[in-house]
Amino acid sequence: MKKNYNSIEEINQDLNILKMERDLHYQKILQSVDVLKEETTPNNLVRSTFGAVSSYIRGSKDIKTYLTTALIRFVIKKINRK
């Protein structure tokens, strides 16, 4: 939509508003980039991966049974080797 201006002051006011909006959007982008950098650090990636895996394991009875059985077998083998 085309806007008709009656004075330079109106034009300058709209330009100032547009500049402020642009600066605000730029700051939001910078903030998003900072958050993305923080979330993708190796430490956070590992933590979120293990969180997802442990959440999956907690919800699955079959996996719990398998892991428990594997752990018991491992411990028994270690004990028998001594």
Side-chain angles (χ1 to χ4, degrees):
M1 184 166 89
K2 188 173 179 180
K3 183 174 181 179
N4 293 322
Y5 294 100
N6 295 322
S7 68
I8 295 291
E9 287 80 25
E10 288 178 6
I11 296 172
N12 285 336
Q13 182 180 9
D14 275 0
L15 286 173
N16 283 334
I17 291 170
L18 290 172
K19 182 183 180 301
M20 285 183 204
E21 288 175 348
R22 184 188 70 200
D23 291 344
L24 178 65
H25 290 292
Y26 181 74
Q27 291 301 320
K28 285 181 180 181
I29 290 171
L30 289 178
Q31 185 179 17
S32 296
V33 168
D34 288 341
V35 168
L36 183 63
K37 282 181 185 178
E38 179 64 29
E39 289 176 351
T40 56
T41 60
N43 190 24
N44 285 341
L45 289 174
V46 168
R47 203 177 301 152
S48 66
T49 302
F50 280 122
V53 169
S54 67
S55 172
Y56 179 73
I57 289 172
R58 273 185 256 131
S60 175
K61 184 178 179 183
D62 294 336
I63 291 178
K64 284 181 187 178
T65 303
Y66 172 76
L67 290 176
T68 303
T69 305
L71 181 63
I72 290 171
R73 286 181 184 165
F74 177 77
V75 170
I76 289 173
K77 284 181 183 179
K78 286 289 185 180
I79 291 171
N80 288 337
R81 287 184 187 173
K82 288 183 180 182

